[in-house]
Amino acid sequence: MTADLVARKVTDLLAPQVLVIAMPPLVGLVSSGWEGAAWGALAAALCGGVPAAVIAAGVRSGRLDSHHIVDRARRTGPLLSAVAAVVAALILLIAVGAPTLLVATVTAMLAALAVTVPITLRWKISFHAAVCAGTVVVMAYVLPAVPTALIGGAVVALVCWARVRLSHHTPAQVAAGAAIGLTTTLATLTAFGL
């Protein structure tokens, strides 16, 4: 396999939509059993599924270049739909009394979007790196922390390498994305007392 092919596979397998759809049900299952997994599936459908559907429709219509939205100028609409979907998920999860960790996880998604969306309007920060780093932080809360952080750190580095290798981001853009994902998620979970 060539390095570019590996980078493309990493970019696709660890895309923000994939992580945002996969992580909440797993977090819910590990932290609160099958009921938590059901709440997590609801969060995944709203936080990941809705934006993925908006992006897929944009790609099919030709308005977006790919599901990775490489062209920064085209990110605004899909990102605003993601913000709206995450807000809706958060309101719903709070209203139905979903487990605290899931509410905190969705709040962390919103916090990361609150920082990254304004930045991407001027500078192409890496959402891949931000979402991957945030995912690692949340997973370290529900799985053994040290091995999860070590393995997760390697995965974040791999994602950053892939995005730079494909010339979709600079090293500064992936580093900033990872830093924002890490810090906003840690700050949010800490604010929830987790």
Side-chain angles (χ1 to χ4, degrees), residues 61-116:
S61 72
R63 287 173 302 165
L64 299 176
D65 52 30
S66 76
H67 64 280
H68 299 301
I69 315 176
V70 176
D71 180 1
R72 181 179 57 83
R74 305 267 183 194
R75 287 181 165 188
T76 305
L79 287 172
L80 292 178
S81 71
V83 170
V86 172
V87 168
L90 185 57
I91 291 168
L92 185 59
L93 290 173
I94 291 169
V96 298
T100 302
L101 183 57
L102 278 173
V103 172
T105 298
V106 173
T107 302
M109 291 179 195
L110 188 58
L113 284 168
V115 176
T116 54

Side-chain angles (χ1 to χ4, degrees), residues 167-194:
S167 300
H168 292 173
H169 291 288
T170 66
Q173 290 165 342
V174 295
I180 288 169
L182 174 79
T183 57
T184 57
T185 306
L186 273 174
T188 303
L189 296 181
T190 300
F192 271 81
L194 300 170

Side-chain angles (χ1 to χ4, degrees), residues 86-178:
V86 172
V87 168
L90 185 57
I91 291 168
L92 185 59
L93 290 173
I94 291 169
V96 298
T100 302
L101 183 57
L102 278 173
V103 172
T105 298
V106 173
T107 302
M109 291 179 195
L110 188 58
L113 284 168
V115 176
T116 54
V117 169
I119 291 171
T120 203
L121 297 177
R122 299 209 174 257
W123 189 61
K124 194 179 171 195
I125 193 162
S126 174
F127 283 90
H128 274 76
V131 172
C132 191
T135 299
V136 169
V137 172
V138 172
M139 296 311 296
Y141 272 78
V142 296
L143 299 174
V146 173
T148 301
L150 290 174
I151 293 166
V155 172
V156 171
L158 180 64
V159 166
C160 291
W161 166 82
R163 302 305 287 156
V164 172
R165 174 71 192 191
L166 295 174
S167 300
H168 292 173
H169 291 288
T170 66
Q173 290 165 342
V174 295

